[in-house]
Amino acid sequence: MDDEDFIALHEFILEMANVDFYLTEHFLDEEIVLKPKKIETQTPVQLAIEIDENNEVKIGAIPPMYYVETTFMPVFHNIKLTIETE
């Protein structure tokens, strides 16, 4: 991406999905492990669409960096991600 703030959309989704399903805590000499079966998350996202020199479409994404009300508001898209364990 030409804009360094944006990362490729597939990398953005992989970052959101990078969840460690085993959350471990030690309490009174006991190990407690939490393993969720399903995680849902949703976030607004700004998209940048570029066409490179090979005419390939590149889609970049970034969470909105700020929110300021103006007469012309940017278009935010929403990404909803559901992760289920086997």
Side-chain angles (χ1 to χ4, degrees):
M1 299 294 318
D2 288 338
D3 189 331
E4 296 174 2
D5 291 332
F6 286 83
I7 62 173
L9 181 60
H10 70 278
E11 292 175 14
F12 182 83
I13 292 170
L14 288 173
E15 286 288 326
M16 287 181 61
N18 188 14
V19 177
D20 184 6
F21 287 104
Y22 292 97
L23 304 173
T24 305
E25 184 67 41
H26 296 277
F27 180 72
L28 298 176
D29 296 327
E30 294 286 329
E31 183 176 84
I32 301 168
V33 178
L34 175 65
K35 184 181 179 201
K37 293 186 183 271
K38 183 177 181 180
I39 297 173
E40 292 183 348
T41 185
Q42 183 172 323
T43 184
V45 65
Q46 287 180 257
L47 298 177
I49 300 173
E50 298 176 0
I51 300 175
D52 68 12
E53 61 277 352
N54 298 321
N55 287 328
E56 292 181 0
V57 175
K58 306 278 186 191
I59 301 176
I62 188 171
M65 298 179 77
Y66 53 86
Y67 182 86
V68 177
E69 286 196 34
T70 62
T71 55
F72 177 77
M73 295 298 291
V75 175
F76 293 134
H77 304 276
N78 281 307
I79 290 181
K80 181 177 180 182
L81 184 63
T82 302
I83 303 166
E84 293 189 50
T85 60
E86 296 182 322

